[in-house]
Amino acid sequence: GTEAPAVKSSAVVEITGKEFDKVVDGSKHVLVQFYAAWCGHCKALAGEYEALAASYSYSKMSDTLIARVDADLYRSVGSSYKVAGYPTIIYFPKGDKEQWQVYTGERMAHKMVSFVNSMTGHNAIYIRPRQATIILDDQNFAQVVHETKKHVLVQFYAPWCAHCKDLAPDYELVASAFRMEPTVVVAKYDADWNKQYGQQYGVTAYPTLKLFTADNKGGLLYEGSRDPDSILAFLNTKVGTERSMDGSLKAQSAVLATMGAHVQEFLKEDKGGEFSQSALQAATNAANSLHGSFAENGKVYIKVMQKVQELGLSYLQDEKDRLDRLLESKLSDEKTNALTRKRFIIMDFLTRAKTTKQQ
């Protein structure tokens, strides 16, 4: 199949109990996965089902929807279609949703694409999704993990391990969340096939997760829950990032309390559009003492202060409006990242300017 570009959000449509009859109303072909959040087989299916949805999204078949519903949470929906186990996949045809049919084939993306094509008469192309998780082996482990200033989370796994299979889709979600984070790599290493580094780091059970930070390549053992939110929170805490599960930045990823105090002083000294040079210098000194991504954000703070000094407070709202327009257009991940960070910092200035004015 063709390889698809990595996507920021899921192509699978999540349906609630209330929405079900509005979505599955006969106006479109709809394939629905009835799942339960706790179901291991559902988790194992997630990646393949996402690839199916991505294939139909990529092929632009607008009258065909790939969806899922939590039938454990919305039990009346599942019982309406005699769902007795999870996952159950049902096809609802366009024109007459009552002629629904349970999918009993293999739960592989290319097989499900063929099934939906045969039901709808479409010819969607199977898209092989690009993995966000980096694959390590004995040849590239040192280059990726040791010989870099990046933070690298490594899952030591074995292909036959059931717990590893259960973790796979959730781990890929975490990798996708950090795909736009230049300082973080999420990787996995088959420690059953490759022998060197599993032994070197004392791996005796699968899966084992270790974080190799930029300043500690000895490896920090992850001992938390194996759900994606817990792993994501662990990474954010340990390496100073602020990624959400969908890969977007949280506001605090760019807003720095230490710089905020200097912004406050800078804005307080406004004498009819003349801002304090000493406050700007103090902020510059503080920014120069920052490291890593904090240092990059510190530089943005200083540039914004210089612009305010040059153009006045009206620059802040004008720049926010400009950034909003840019972020609505199609940009590279790197550009989106940079502009989003700057927008958060501009918002910090605007909030503090309003507070200062009220004092």
Side-chain angles (χ1 to χ4, degrees):
T2 306
E3 182 171 299
V7 291
K8 290 182 189 175
S9 57
S10 176
V12 178
V13 177
E14 187 78 30
I15 312 174
T16 65
K18 284 183 179 179
E19 295 167 339
F20 192 91
D21 287 335
K22 293 177 185 175
V23 175
V24 184
D25 64 354
S27 65
K28 292 184 176 184
H29 301 283
V30 187
L31 189 74
V32 181
Q33 178 197 160
F34 294 79
Y35 76 97
W38 45 261
C39 161
H41 291 299
C42 302
K43 290 178 181 178
L45 173 62
E48 296 295 323
Y49 202 70
E50 180 64 42
L52 161 68
S55 298
Y56 261 80
S57 176
Y58 182 80
S59 300
K60 294 183 169 56
M61 304 299 182
S62 59
D63 71 341
T64 303
L65 206 63
I66 308 301
R68 67 178 202 157
V69 61
D70 186 338
D72 184 49
L73 184 61
Y74 305 108
R75 296 197 174 190
S76 61
V77 176
S79 62
S80 297
Y81 300 100
K82 301 180 176 60
V83 172
Y86 307 120
T88 294
I89 300 171
I90 298 179
Y91 165 71
F92 296 89
K94 180 179 178 180
D96 188 0
K97 70 169 191 172
E98 297 308 320
Q99 297 299 313
W100 53 271
Q101 179 179 335
V102 177
Y103 174 70
T104 56
E106 291 181 68
R107 294 175 188 155
M108 303 293 289
H110 65 286
K111 295 285 188 182
M112 291 187 284
V113 168
S114 296
F115 169 76
V116 178
N117 280 343
S118 69
M119 292 291 104
T120 61
H122 291 319
N123 190 27
I125 304 164
Y126 165 56
I127 299 299
R128 185 174 63 252
R130 187 200 307 167
Q131 269 199 328
T133 307
I134 302 299
I135 307 299
L136 300 177
D137 55 29
D138 284 343
Q139 280 66 51
N140 68 0
F141 191 100
Q143 181 184 356
V144 175
V145 178
H146 300 152
E147 300 165 16
T148 176
K149 286 296 181 185
K150 293 186 177 183
H151 311 290
V152 186
L153 180 68
V154 179
Q155 178 197 161
F156 294 84
Y157 77 101
W160 46 259
C161 160
H163 292 303
C164 302
K165 289 177 183 176
D166 286 345
L167 176 60
D170 287 344
Y171 197 72
E172 178 65 14
L173 279 177
V174 175
S176 294
F178 284 91
R179 187 172 52 82
M180 288 196 290
E181 187 62 56
T183 62
V184 176
V185 173
V186 177
K188 63 181 183 180
Y189 172 86
D190 182 344
D192 185 52
W193 177 260
N194 300 279
K195 303 299 181 185
Q196 183 178 348
Y197 293 99
Q199 292 173 1
Q200 183 174 325
Y201 291 106
V203 174
T204 56
Y206 306 122
T208 292
L209 274 61
K210 283 182 178 279
L211 174 62
F212 299 86
T213 61
D215 55 3
N216 176 15
K217 297 301 181 181
L220 172 66
L221 179 66
Y222 174 70
E223 298 180 282
S225 300
R226 291 188 194 135
D227 63 279
D229 291 314
S230 297
I231 299 171
L232 180 116
F234 167 78
L235 258 178
N236 277 330
T237 301
K238 293 299 180 185
V239 306
T241 50
E242 286 288 349
R243 289 285 168 186
S244 300
M245 190 55 75
D246 66 357
S248 62
L249 285 166
K250 297 179 183 178
Q252 56 265 46
S253 62
V255 175
L256 304 176
T258 50
M259 293 306 297
H262 290 287
V263 171
Q264 204 80 35
E265 286 303 310
F266 176 76
L267 295 172
K268 266 186 201 173
E269 296 297 317
D270 178 11
K271 309 292 185 190
E274 293 292 323
F275 294 88
S276 167
Q277 190 61 40
S278 61
L280 177 57
Q281 188 57 54
T284 303
N285 293 341
N288 289 340
S289 68
L290 298 170
H291 301 284
S293 60
F294 296 122
E296 292 302 311
N297 293 338
K299 288 176 187 174
V300 177
Y301 270 91
I302 301 307
K303 286 178 182 174
V304 172
M305 281 186 184
Q306 290 168 340
K307 282 290 187 182
V308 169
Q309 198 171 47
E310 178 190 347
L311 303 171
L313 286 172
S314 61
Y315 162 77
L316 296 172
Q317 188 62 50
D318 290 345
E319 182 64 1
K320 177 191 171 293
D321 293 343
R322 186 184 76 89
L323 292 171
D324 286 344
R325 288 194 299 273
L326 284 172
L327 286 166
E328 286 176 2
S329 58
K330 195 167 185 178
L331 302 166
S332 67
D333 289 346
E334 189 177 354
K335 192 70 173 174
T336 300
N337 220 23
L339 294 183
T340 302
R341 285 180 185 277
K342 186 174 184 181
R343 186 185 180 282
F344 284 141
I345 290 170
I346 290 286
M347 289 301 297
D348 190 28
F349 271 83
L350 282 166
T351 303
R352 292 179 187 280
K354 188 176 179 181
T355 305
T356 304
K357 193 175 180 181
Q358 290 171 347
Q359 289 174 348

